[in-house]
Amino acid sequence: MSKLVNILTEGMNSPNPLSVTEYEKTGGFAALKKAVTMTGTDIIAEVKKALLLGRGGAAFPAGKKWEYMERIVCCDVPAAPRYIVCNADEGEPGTFKDRLIMDKLPLKLIEGITIAGYTFNAKAGYIYVRGEYRKIQKQLIAALENARKAGFLGKNILGTDFDFDIHIVSGAGAYVCGENSALLNSTEGKVGRPRIKPPRLAKVGLFLQPTLVNNVETFANIPLIINIGGDAYLQAGHPDSGGSKLICLSGHCRNKGVFEIPLGEVTLRDIIYDPELGGGIAGGGQLKFFHLGGQSGPIGCIDQLDTIYSYTDLWNAGLSVGSGAVVVMDESVSILEYLKSVTEFFVHESCGKCIPCREGNYHILKILRKLSVPGEAAAGDLDILRRLVGTMTGASFCGLGQSAAIALTSAWKHFKAEFEANVTAKAVSQINQYS
Ligand SMILES: Cc1cc2nc3c(=O)[nH]c(=O)nc-3n(C[C@H](O)[C@H](O)[C@H](O)COP(=O)(O)O)c2cc1C
Ligand code: SF4
């Protein structure tokens, strides 16, 4: 039986993904037509039943987020303008599935965002697209124009009194701008640094107005949920999370790219070795480890290969879905070298707003460099490393600093010997030795 599904990627092989006519041939815009006959509350009820977990990395249930947003716009600030924002920053290394959706299924994404616009009676939506995705940005602009011409965007959509339009914002080129509040600051033309929360963005978001922020893959699932209903969508997935998942395979596996898999039915072994998926290790080498969910996700080892790829099973094994990235590394890779490059990334991308992340990543990198050289590191360095990780994880202002050491701590458990290989018995007590 095939390990692949095409629930979300249905219609992906359209000869012209920007054409509304082509999109309608595969059922495109049927969900929007249905949605405008429903109330916002009914739409939210379907999204809740679907148990769609946010696909941006944090796996927050979309239904809960939408329900909270409804409370804000109906009860707390009913007169305020409200915005729908699609997070298409896709800055997580090893992650390239949102690009596939925007490239091959741009109208499905537009339909999902428009349904959200209708649900919350918003007038404007924004897609914040990674700055490097220039070609995608142009394509989205063309797809939006086609949707406008066909009456699916603009004034009186489908003959109703619903007016809604979507605008493209080019990302600022910083990883932290994918964090939802930094993304809103960047969209407003400010420096892309995270905001303090609360207040939640649903209450005080873009231009300080109620705002819904969801990931590309999350929005792209909405038309399907409306078409088949939340219950059927949940059934197509796993009891803890409806639907399928796009995963991005890269590194030392034979087959690389984006694959749509059913949640709860394939193991990590299938993902790496099945001929339809990763196809095994290129060049016939041995697997050493795999890195899930991007640089901020955990590293797993061969003992965990039989873990089922579902949100709960991965979580119980100390792993996570995150962004859907699966980076496969063979035995030629030194774990310390790999972690140094991960930490260099965070040193580069830390926005510098808070000390635990700005200084913590830098000092972690220095210790990793020492640990890589025989005789450079002492036993006390490992204690300092442990303390640094604890402080950075617990005291950083935003998710970047809070999750920057997840790869390190997970790898430390699996590859303790490599961490200790170069350490001498000499004690180190002064943290300022690294300043
Ligand atoms: C440093 C950092 C970078 C992030 N980058 C992205 C990103 O590129 N794309 C994305 O969808 N979410 C990203 N997120 C998560 C967003 O803050 C937010 O949770 C997400 O857009 C919500 O959408 P979802 O609920 O549909 O997943 C990032 C979070 C952090 C802390
Ligand atoms: S944790 Fe602090 S320094 Fe790091 S990116 Fe977030 S706000 Fe900036």
Side-chain angles (χ1 to χ4, degrees):
M1 209 181 77
S2 175
K3 304 258 185 320
L4 297 172
V5 290
N6 68 340
I7 303 170
L8 176 63
T9 53
E10 198 196 348
M12 203 184 77
N13 297 322
S14 162
N16 184 1
L18 307 182
S19 154
V20 172
T21 316
E22 286 296 324
Y23 181 51
E24 285 188 291
K25 280 185 196 164
T26 55
F29 286 116
L32 180 60
K33 287 178 190 160
K34 185 173 172 186
V36 296
T37 66
M38 298 165 71
T39 65
T41 309
D42 290 342
I43 293 172
I44 294 166
E46 294 306 319
V47 177
K48 269 197 89 178
K49 277 193 269 177
L51 246 181
L52 167 66
L53 301 185
R55 303 298 201 230
F60 189 80
K64 267 194 188 168
K65 193 185 270 191
W66 286 39
E67 193 176 48
Y68 181 72
M69 175 83 180
E70 187 190 34
R71 215 162 50 227
I72 299 296
V73 297
C74 289
C75 311
D76 289 17
V77 281
R82 62 283 317 254
Y83 297 104
I84 309 298
V85 174
C86 173
N87 189 342
D89 197 44
E90 195 152 68
E92 192 65 75
T95 312
F96 36 89
K97 43 107 187 163
D98 293 343
R99 185 179 64 184
L100 180 93
I101 295 173
M102 291 187 281
D103 192 20
K104 302 286 185 197
L105 298 162
L107 290 162
K108 194 177 276 199
L109 173 63
I110 290 168
E111 188 179 4
I113 298 171
T114 309
I115 292 171
Y118 171 80
T119 306
F120 299 106
N121 198 14
K123 299 262 174 283
Y126 294 84
I127 311 179
Y128 186 95
V129 190
R130 185 183 167 119
E132 290 88 341
Y133 289 176
R134 290 280 174 210
K135 184 180 145 230
I136 300 280
Q137 292 177 6
K138 284 189 189 144
Q139 283 185 200
L140 282 172
I141 289 169
L144 286 169
E145 190 48 36
N146 292 345
R148 247 174 241 129
K149 281 189 195 139
F152 294 112
L153 281 177
K155 291 235 169 266
N156 303 113
I157 293 171
L158 292 166
T160 66
D161 59 0
F162 168 50
D163 304 337
F164 184 71
D165 214 335
I166 301 175
H167 312 276
I168 301 298
V169 180
S170 182
Y175 172 67
V176 75
C177 285
E179 193 278 339
N180 48 16
S181 65
L183 182 147
L184 298 187
N185 278 343
S186 176
T187 303
E188 291 176 9
K190 297 179 183 145
V191 174
R193 277 182 165 162
R195 297 179 186 170
I196 194 154
K197 287 180 262 181
R200 291 212 228 164
L201 303 180
K203 198 166 191 175
V204 183
L206 188 64
F207 308 120
L208 307 183
Q209 305 302 328
T211 302
L212 178 84
V213 184
N214 274 126
N215 168 260
V216 170
E217 190 183 345
T218 312
F219 277 125
N221 272 285
I222 298 297
L224 178 63
I225 293 172
I226 299 304
N227 277 330
I228 66 172
D231 287 330
Y233 181 88
L234 177 58
Q235 285 213 323
H238 184 264
D240 70 12
S241 49
S244 59
K245 181 76 192 90
L246 296 183
I247 57 165
C248 315
L249 268 163
S250 65
H252 294 145
C253 50
R254 275 204 181 89
N255 309 324
K256 300 168 186 56
V258 180
F259 300 82
E260 183 178 357
I261 57 165
L263 282 164
E265 286 177 34
V266 302
T267 61
L268 290 166
R269 189 185 300 282
D270 295 327
I271 289 174
I272 296 171
Y273 290 99
D274 192 279
E276 274 193 312
L277 290 156
I281 305 300
Q286 293 292 313
L287 172 71
K288 180 163 175 181
F289 64 89
F290 47 87
H291 195 176
L292 300 184
Q295 301 289 80
S296 56
I299 283 176
C301 68
I302 47 177
D303 297 347
Q304 295 170 304
L305 278 178
D306 291 318
T307 310
I308 289 177
Y309 196 92
S310 81
Y311 284 90
T312 310
D313 289 281
L314 289 178
W315 187 253
N316 289 341
L319 299 166
S320 66
V321 170
S323 65
V326 181
V327 178
V328 178
M329 287 287 124
D330 73 12
E331 64 201 335
S332 68
V333 179
S334 146
I335 194 73
L336 288 175
E337 290 305 316
Y338 185 85
L339 289 170
K340 276 196 285 184
S341 82
V342 170
T343 312
E344 275 161 9
F345 171 79
F346 287 117
V347 168
H348 186 258
E349 295 297 340
S350 168
C351 81
K353 177 171 173 148
C354 69
I355 292 169
C357 167
R358 187 182 66 220
E359 299 299 320
N361 278 304
Y362 173 66
H363 286 289
I364 287 172
L365 179 60
K366 282 183 122 179
I367 296 184
L368 287 172
R369 283 183 179 150
K370 286 178 79 181
L371 289 170
S372 315
V373 182
E376 276 286 307
D381 287 311
L382 289 174
D383 293 334
I384 294 169
L385 185 59
R386 203 167 280 119
R387 291 209 316 263
L388 278 169
V389 165
T391 305
M392 193 174 76
T393 305
S396 286
F397 186 83
C398 86
L400 188 150
Q402 288 156 12
S403 58
I406 290 177
L408 188 151
T409 46
S410 50
W412 200 342
K413 279 189 215 133
H414 307 307
F415 302 101
K416 199 162 172 271
E418 275 188 62
F419 275 75
E420 292 172 0
N422 293 322
V423 171
T424 62
K426 164 168 71 102
V428 172
S429 56
Q430 297 292 309
I431 193 158
N432 62 12
Q433 174 168 348
Y434 306 102
S435 56

